[in-house]
Amino acid sequence: MRSTYLTAAAALLAALLTAALPRAALAQLKEAEPETEGVVFGEPAVGRFKVGAEITASRGAVKNIRAMVAVPLECAEQEVRIAEEEFSSEVDSVEYRMLNGDGARQMVINIPFLAAGATARAVVTYDVTTRPVLPPEDDQAAAYKIPEKPDRRLRRYLTASPYIESRHGTVRKLHREALAEADEDLSDWQRVELLYDKMLETIEYIEGDDKSALQTLRDGNADCHGRSAVFIALCRSAGVPARVVWVNNHCYAEFYLEDEAGEGRWFPAESAGSRAFGEMPLARVILQKGDSFTVPERRRDKLRYATDFMIGTPMPGSGQPKAKYIREQL
């Protein structure tokens, strides 16, 4: 549940970061999610991440180009600061916007006109500080509860979404099986952990293409995406808000519980490699959180990930420009 105030230290940090930001991001700084009290972080990993696009008018002149690229997400476990900007003269402006409230941050590149054969470049390099999430103590974990009255922000993480068929009978059946022999005195934390272990037991990890939760259950195997989808679907079937966390070249799940005071926390759960429930021992660059996005330029599409996208109007006799998207960990 979102806090109504920032600590003095956090406010001071935000002020310092704002003073250091280039003009393109000054008005778009997003404060970190305040669900940090009660969550223990490990030693931070600091690195640089480059994001952007090169647009080439390879098929003739184009006007009104608008390209969208997701950038690293400012969130509870991650701080993001612009280190460098590279904007060619054809770029009129670069804006930033949030999708789904706080789930993804997009860089929107505006190019009024691009002559035939010309290339416009808009690339931003970020300093990213990401902290691993440590597991809570047993007594703390035992106190967390499934939210009884989730607000509208949380309800989007309780319904079916692209690739996560949480209402399907196959998912509900597995949910019941996972909790069938659960003792009545188990905590909600332990019940969610049973769902996690059921996913690990049921779904073999293999490298491959992304699969939905239902297809993963039918196949009995999947990569990090399919395993995350199954665990999230099981959580939602049990009334536990859950979502995908997209990191560089990987994804995992995150579930939401509340403490005795009704304050909510998001906890990660690994979907590949070593078992990690309620913790994330590796600090990876976080790009997005969520699995059902709507983008203003694509209102008819339900996107599980806010993908790179471009629109433009070719001049008479021309065709659409060519886009090269840049996403690189330095």
Side-chain angles (χ1 to χ4, degrees):
M1 184 176 296
R2 189 168 294 277
S3 303
T4 57
Y5 64 92
L6 292 173
T7 64
L12 176 60
L13 176 61
L16 291 173
L17 289 175
T18 301
L21 282 174
R23 59 174 177 79
L26 188 59
Q28 300 295 332
L29 180 66
K30 176 185 178 291
E31 68 183 39
E33 288 183 350
E35 292 99 339
T36 57
E37 186 178 349
V39 178
V40 181
F41 297 108
E43 290 297 318
V46 181
R48 285 200 161 185
F49 202 86
K50 181 178 288 189
V51 180
E54 290 182 349
I55 312 297
T56 302
S58 57
R59 300 175 62 190
V62 185
K63 65 179 181 178
N64 300 329
I65 297 172
R66 190 170 172 86
M68 290 137 261
V69 187
V71 303
L73 181 68
E74 184 88 8
C75 56
E77 63 270 46
Q78 181 166 278
E79 297 171 3
V80 181
R81 180 186 175 206
I82 291 178
E84 298 175 5
E85 293 179 322
E86 305 171 57
F87 300 152
S88 67
S89 60
E90 297 87 356
V91 176
D92 178 65
S93 65
V94 174
E95 306 163 355
Y96 294 88
R97 67 185 181 192
M98 300 302 299
L99 301 177
N100 284 15
D102 57 7
R105 190 166 186 250
Q106 276 190 327
M107 176 168 65
V108 183
I109 304 162
N110 296 294
I111 304 169
F113 179 80
L114 194 58
T119 296
R121 177 178 170 88
V123 178
V124 179
T125 300
Y126 293 90
D127 286 329
V128 182
T129 301
T130 310
R131 298 173 292 179
V133 179
L134 305 182
E137 297 294 334
D138 290 344
D139 58 339
Q140 294 176 318
Y144 285 110
K145 303 291 184 183
I146 298 172
E148 294 184 2
K149 296 180 180 180
D151 60 23
R152 191 171 80 173
R153 179 176 66 95
L154 285 175
R155 286 199 292 272
R156 74 162 66 102
Y157 304 121
L158 284 168
T159 61
S161 60
Y163 278 58
I164 301 177
E165 305 93 338
S166 54
R167 296 178 178 176
H168 195 277
T170 302
V171 173
R172 293 181 179 274
K173 178 182 178 183
L174 190 64
H175 158 217
R176 291 193 298 269
E177 290 176 0
L179 301 181
E181 299 181 3
D183 294 335
E184 292 185 3
D185 59 350
L186 285 184
S187 67
D188 284 353
W189 179 276
Q190 291 171 320
R191 291 176 182 276
V192 178
E193 191 168 13
L194 286 176
L195 299 178
Y196 177 72
D197 287 335
K198 190 66 173 178
M199 178 276 290
L200 295 181
E201 170 191 320
T202 306
I203 308 302
E204 177 189 4
Y205 179 83
I206 62 168
E207 296 287 346
D209 296 333
D210 291 352
K211 297 179 184 179
S212 71
L214 187 57
Q215 188 61 51
T216 297
L217 288 172
R218 288 171 175 167
D219 293 346
N221 56 58
D223 64 2
C224 59
H225 183 276
R227 293 179 115 206
S228 295
V230 169
F231 175 60
I232 292 167
L234 289 172
C235 284
R236 292 179 182 178
S237 179
V240 179
R243 63 188 179 186
V244 176
V245 179
W246 304 90
V247 300
N248 190 35
N249 298 320
H250 182 53
C251 70
Y252 55 87
E254 203 173 46
F255 63 95
Y256 184 93
L257 297 176
E258 294 179 346
D259 64 17
E260 293 172 312
E263 295 293 324
R265 314 278 185 267
W266 285 101
F267 295 96
E270 184 60 277
S271 56
S274 300
R275 182 186 186 281
F277 175 77
E279 62 176 310
M280 182 47 58
L282 298 178
R284 305 180 180 94
V285 175
I286 297 168
L287 299 176
Q288 301 181 33
K289 292 190 175 190
D291 41 78
S292 183
F293 293 96
T294 301
V295 177
E297 293 80 5
R298 306 173 66 181
R299 293 190 181 277
R300 295 183 179 180
D301 299 327
K302 281 275 191 174
L303 307 172
R304 62 192 172 104
Y305 183 86
T307 53
D308 303 329
F309 187 66
M310 179 185 66
I311 57 176
T313 305
M315 301 297 287
S318 298
Q320 286 292 339
K322 180 179 179 181
K324 175 186 175 183
Y325 296 103
I326 299 165
R327 186 171 288 105
E328 180 182 358
Q329 188 150 4
L330 304 178

